Amino acid sequence: MDYAKDSLKFEYTYWVNKNNDTARGQMLINMYSDKLYGAGVDEALKYHVKYNRTYAYVFGYRSKVTSLPLWMGVPHGGLNPYVFGFPLMNNTVRQMFNLKHKEMYDLRDGIVSDVIMHMWTNFTTSGNSTPYGVRCYHYPEWWYRLFPEGILPWNLDQTTRQILQRMYPNEPWLWDQDPNRPGVYKPWQCNITWPAYNIQNLTYLNLENDTYERYNYHQGHYAFWREFFPSLIKRLPATLKPTPEAIREYQIATFSLAAAVFVILIVIIALTITLCRRHSY
């Protein structure tokens, strides 16, 4: 049992700074996540990709207005509100269907939700999550009416700034521009292409503040749980043998119990015989 504990400690120690409490907590979360969810999902992905086109993703986006503490990161199931479009629902829709959200959402959350719903819908209808390639198809129509090229120029006129400020007063990144910063500002969460899962490099889409393609997610930890840790468990005996001192205690207890049962049995037999004799007279 000690070497199993030591192996877990070694695998999930933040060796850069072992005394970092924040990193220690994050590694503990990673350990439970890898064991309970990640290793199994990774194995299922590698099985499915043998027979059909498969897509993998990691959802790590945190809303700026979330009420969850930072140490929690993105909890399991945190993607669901974005899949069902909760950040896009206004007060009228919420009241109509009596929906009560646990979280508040802003424009960026709505964009992420729109992106996810488009990709999920494309996959269910065509089997390809991003069939249109690099087009910023998820932005609303008014965006393209204002900016036909799909980009937000830094030399916005005053009227456009006022429109954006009225529509999104809590999103200064849209209308409060820095005149000392040259160039153009491309729309956030744009030019996304989701490649199919590749067994050679284990491609997946990383859905965070910036969505991009990555490879080989946590493969070292998953291999630890799938290949190495089970071999440690097999080394443990099925039943632990008690120590000699414990054996003597068990023997004394067993003999005492047997003697007590024997005495009780004799008493029961004697009482039975006595009762039978009384009934016979």
Side-chain angles (χ1 to χ4, degrees), residues 57-63 73-74 79 205-209 217:
Y57 69 91
V58 173
F59 185 72
Y61 173 76
R62 272 181 59 90
S63 172
V74 180
L79 175 70
L205 190 69
N206 195 61
L207 293 163
E208 290 189 7
N209 290 325
Y217 183 74

Side-chain angles (χ1 to χ4, degrees), residues 50 67 80 114 152 179 190 238 270:
K50 296 178 182 178
S67 60
N80 294 339
D114 202 13
L152 178 62
C190 189

